[in-house]
Amino acid sequence: MYNLFDPRNKQKFGSTKQKLCVIVLCFLFNSSISANENEVPLTIHDKKGTWNIQWGYNRSSYTQSDINFRGPGYEYTLKSVNAKDKPESFRADVYLNPSKFEIPQYNLKISYFFTDRFFLAFGEDHMKYVVTPGQPVKYSGYIDPGVIAKNQTALSLESALFIYLFPEHVQQMAGYHGGDQIITLTPDILKYEHTDGLNYLFLDFGWITPLYTSSDGLSGLSLVSTIGGGPVVCRSDVRVFGKGQNNNFHLSGYGVSGYVATRYEFSRTYFLEFGGKGGYIDLTDVLTSGGSNRASQNFGFLELVLSGGIAI
């Protein structure tokens, strides 16, 4: 019969107990190794639940636009007006200074991936829009001669100089015009800029399509596409017949757009992106020379955007 109290049996029991502990520890250790071996390492394609934050700069171009001006005593339209952007020259004290981030034409976007491929993004495209001075345009509408005379009592410096040298130029616009007349957009006629700027605030739906992935899955090339739209907030610097001001920020209209870009990702954390965004902007309520004076216009735009970002 087995006697637990027999010293010889106690020694055997202890030895058996030690062996059992070793077996259990080996089993747990092997299980841990197997679990780690079976765990698939994350790659750049594992995006669900992550955020992307990116910052960049743009060059922009615009289609011709009919600009309608209206206020007490006048309503007229300048036809097929050309405009261009106004990029800031590269200077380290501007582009590398966080306190001056709003000076260049910049792009800010924050994205959230609700699946590995699809995401929602919101942000701002800070563009600048400047009507090209000196261009000849056709115009139509009515301008009360009294409006021109009144505006000349509060002239800007550049307007005053031009009116002094060419006093009859602005007077051509007084009265009714059917649309065949041509006027040159000199400072006494118009200064029109959205340089602080043409701020397109957007909400986009987007998706990402892998093009190439490195063997370790930590870097690769992808195609990024988005569609969306949102409000446009302008700060417009305008002079009409020599009178005007640099207005406050104002909700001026809306835009819709599409975006396509090539993205290079590395280390699963950082990425560089180069793309183009095209769209349509309708500005229905632009502040001009104060009071109830307004302008409206619509145009197409195209941006080339270079940006960099981080995934978190």
Side-chain angles (χ1 to χ4, degrees):
M1 172 182 267
Y2 184 84
N3 186 354
L4 184 62
F5 298 100
D6 188 325
R8 291 173 297 173
N9 290 336
K10 284 184 179 180
Q11 186 176 6
K12 291 179 183 178
F13 178 77
S15 176
T16 303
K17 187 175 169 183
Q18 291 173 357
K19 290 178 181 178
L20 183 62
C21 289
V22 171
I23 292 171
V24 171
L25 288 174
C26 288
F27 175 78
L28 293 175
F29 182 70
N30 288 333
S31 297
S32 176
I33 292 175
S34 298
N36 289 333
E37 288 177 349
N38 292 332
E39 186 178 316
V40 179
L42 294 176
T43 71
I44 59 173
H45 304 305
D46 298 303
K47 298 182 182 298
K48 184 177 180 180
T50 63
W51 293 83
N52 286 182
I53 302 173
Q54 62 192 101
W55 177 271
Y57 300 100
N58 69 74
R59 288 299 309 267
S60 305
S61 59
Y62 311 100
T63 62
Q64 290 183 331
S65 175
D66 292 351
I67 308 177
N68 175 263
F69 295 88
R70 56 193 182 277
Y74 70 95
E75 182 171 359
Y76 67 96
T77 299
L78 301 177
K79 301 184 177 182
S80 302
V81 178
N82 292 309
K84 57 186 179 180
D85 66 348
K86 190 178 181 181
E88 185 73 14
S89 300
F90 182 80
R91 303 198 315 271
D93 64 325
V94 172
Y95 281 84
L96 302 181
N97 187 344
S99 66
K100 297 181 179 180
F101 75 93
E102 80 286 356
I103 294 178
Q105 298 178 173
Y106 65 82
N107 298 73
L108 170 65
K109 183 162 66 176
I110 300 174
S111 308
Y112 176 74
F113 282 85
F114 56 91
T115 74
D116 289 335
R117 279 198 62 191
F118 298 101
F119 61 91
L120 291 175
F122 62 94
E124 177 190 358
D125 291 355
H126 176 76
M127 297 175 278
K128 297 179 187 290
Y129 178 100
V130 180
V131 166
T132 307
Q135 63 178 297
V137 298
K138 291 184 177 182
Y139 63 100
S140 63
Y142 173 72
I143 299 123
D144 188 323
V147 171
I148 296 175
K150 181 179 178 181
N151 284 13
Q152 289 184 0
T153 63
L155 292 174
S156 63
L157 181 61
E158 63 269 33
S159 304
L161 179 61
F162 200 92
I163 288 174
Y164 175 77
L165 294 173
F166 307 98
E168 299 301 319
H169 187 240
V170 69
Q171 299 300 329
Q172 298 177 37
M173 296 195 70
Y176 289 95
H177 304 280
D180 294 326
Q181 294 84 356
I182 295 176
I183 195 74
T184 301
L185 299 185
T186 47
D188 56 331
I189 302 298
L190 182 69
K191 175 185 178 180
Y192 189 89
E193 303 180 353
H194 312 301
T195 47
D196 270 341
L198 183 68
N199 301 300
Y200 175 38
L201 310 177
F202 60 85
L203 176 64
D204 283 357
F205 169 76
W207 58 97
I208 189 165
T209 306
L211 299 177
Y212 163 78
T213 307
S214 64
S215 57
D216 60 5
L218 299 181
S219 62
L221 203 63
S222 301
L223 187 68
V224 179
S225 309
T226 69
I227 54 172
V232 178
V233 176
C234 294
R235 188 177 185 194
S236 306
D237 189 358
V238 182
R239 307 291 184 275
V240 177
F241 307 133
K243 177 187 175 183
Q245 59 192 14
N246 190 4
N247 293 278
N248 293 323
F249 290 98
H250 179 70
L251 179 59
S252 302
Y254 69 92
V256 293
S257 61
Y259 173 73
V260 178
T262 301
R263 173 185 291 192
Y264 175 67
E265 299 175 78
F266 51 99
S267 301
R268 277 205 76 241
T269 304
Y270 307 102
F271 61 88
L272 295 172
E273 194 170 292
F274 178 71
K277 176 180 280 190
Y280 167 83
I281 286 177
D282 190 359
L283 302 179
T284 58
D285 191 45
V286 177
L287 302 180
T288 57
S289 55
S292 61
N293 297 281
R294 294 289 192 273
S296 58
Q297 61 176 144
N298 54 72
F299 51 86
F301 72 94
L302 177 64
E303 290 180 82
L304 293 179
V305 184
L306 177 64
S307 63
I310 184 170
I312 56 176

